Amino acid sequence: MPLSYPEMLQDDCIGVARAVEVLRSGGLLGLPTETVYGLAADARDGKAVARIFEAKGRPRFNPLIVHVPTLDHITELVEIGPNARILADAFWPGALTLVLPSKGKVADLVSGGLPTLAVRVPAHPLAQRILQAFGGPIAAPSANPSGQVSPTRASHVEAGLGARIDAIIDGGPCEVGLESTILKTNDDGVRLLREGGIAREEVERLVGPVSVDLTPGRVEAPGQMERHYATHVPLVLGGEPKDEDLCIGFGPVEGHLTLSDSGDLVEAAARLFSVMHKADELATARGFQRIHVTDIPEVGLGRAINDRLRRASHPQA
């Protein structure tokens, strides 16, 4: 066992072997995916899954996403209908989560008491190597304290969770930088439960119009809490910034920090959480009272960016 926690692992054969050992022993692992870093545990081990909720301070009714290496592994866990198959073939491995009828093969806590299970096949090569070597389903919500900014670097995981977890394996910065798009499919069609790394338009090109159910606080999938992704310094959206604000710009709108100088929504999505972490640090260090974010276009990945920002700016209860 390591002398101190979390144990920091490298992206090599030794690191992968140790990561698998941590998971098999019921431990918690900070794991990179292409979206954000996840807090991984064996999805079949109820005690290990309970440690995820404890480490994050996450409400027990908030379900988790299960990660596996291939579609064949998915079929062992859930029932897949025609629409789900179309989407899986198009977007897996990748930033898509499907909510499907569960076969009851994972710990009860994973599904948050629901008859469905949220499942995904990640594209990150390091995540794939660990999943293949582990040989089972991994539950992995974002590796941050519940409600706070999601981690896109190993250092974010270490700063947020520290000694509450066993190990972190460093796979570099996340390429997509936003959590996965979550869809619920059945014979009646497709419902969008969370905007994410795959734009709504891409989904609709394959299955036609999707119904949108982003009701705040209605929890059928991860990421639906009213207040989520929040910075410590209050965050405000749009309007005119004040002198006491640290400003995050986009495109031609300048700020102390920017999501994308060129107004590129893909770049903005990839940088969102990293910039939010940096803004929180700077605002705290320099005494800014608020973090002001300029308007982001409500199209394509802009919808997912705005979803995260709106939840981050929701008043704390």
Side-chain angles (χ1 to χ4, degrees):
M1 297 298 292
L3 296 176
S4 62
Y5 292 93
E7 184 179 3
M8 302 303 294
L9 309 176
Q10 299 303 309
D11 180 1
D12 55 27
C13 292
I14 294 173
V16 169
R18 175 61 183 145
V20 171
E21 182 182 353
V22 168
L23 292 169
R24 288 179 177 164
S25 66
L28 299 185
L29 172 72
L31 172 73
T33 76
E34 70 278 18
T35 56
V36 299
Y37 273 73
L39 181 56
D42 186 342
R44 303 161 298 189
D45 184 339
K47 186 175 180 180
V49 173
R51 287 192 63 205
I52 291 177
F53 286 87
E54 181 182 30
K56 284 176 61 69
R58 184 183 179 97
R60 294 294 176 97
F61 58 80
N62 199 359
L64 308 178
I65 295 175
V66 173
H67 298 66
V68 294
T70 68
L71 178 57
D72 287 342
H73 291 83
I74 291 285
T75 60
E76 298 174 8
L77 303 176
V78 293
E79 303 287 348
I80 297 186
N83 282 325
R85 179 73 64 170
I86 291 169
L87 293 165
D89 288 342
F91 296 119
W92 279 345
L96 172 71
T97 292
L98 294 177
V99 176
L100 300 168
S102 175
K103 292 183 177 180
K105 299 294 182 68
V106 298
D108 291 341
L109 270 178
V110 174
S111 60
L114 298 171
T116 53
L117 190 65
V119 291
R120 181 163 96 85
V121 178
H124 195 291
L126 179 55
Q128 277 287 332
R129 281 160 48 212
I130 291 171
L131 284 164
Q132 293 281 1
F134 178 64
I138 292 175
S142 56
N144 58 295
S146 186
Q148 294 184 18
V149 183
S150 297
T152 56
R153 297 175 181 271
S155 59
H156 296 159
V157 182
E158 184 178 18
L161 295 177
R164 284 177 275 178
I165 67 176
D166 300 287
I168 303 167
I169 188 161
D170 191 345
C174 299
E175 182 179 351
V176 176
L178 278 177
E179 292 90 350
S180 57
T181 299
I182 300 182
L183 302 171
K184 187 173 185 179
T185 71
N186 52 41
D187 293 339
D188 298 327
V190 179
R191 278 200 298 144
L192 177 68
L193 301 183
R194 181 177 76 182
E195 303 274 12
I198 295 173
R200 190 187 309 178
E201 292 87 343
E202 295 182 62
V203 173
E204 292 184 326
R205 277 195 286 270
L206 290 174
V207 296
V210 301
S211 59
V212 180
D213 187 359
L214 305 178
T215 307
R218 178 178 174 179
V219 180
E220 289 186 83
Q224 293 185 302
M225 305 295 287
E226 282 187 304
R227 180 175 169 83
H228 207 18
Y229 319 108
T231 49
H232 295 90
V233 176
L235 186 145
V236 295
L237 307 180
E240 291 298 320
K242 299 181 178 180
D243 291 340
E244 65 267 24
D245 292 349
L246 183 145
C247 298
I248 298 176
F250 175 76
V253 180
E254 296 183 356
H256 298 92
L257 300 168
T258 184
L259 294 173
S260 172
D261 285 322
S262 63
D264 184 333
L265 289 171
V266 174
E267 180 184 25
R271 287 174 47 82
L272 176 64
F273 289 134
S274 181
V275 169
M276 288 174 69
H277 277 287
K278 186 64 175 178
D280 212 13
E281 294 172 7
L282 286 176
T284 300
R286 299 181 185 180
F288 288 100
Q289 299 302 302
R290 307 187 312 174
I291 298 169
H292 174 275
V293 186
T294 192
D295 291 321
I296 307 296
E298 189 74 14
V299 296
L301 288 180
R303 294 194 188 98
I305 295 169
N306 284 324
D307 172 79
R308 303 306 189 272
L309 292 171
R310 282 190 289 267
R311 294 179 193 272
S313 65
H314 191 277
Q316 190 164 9

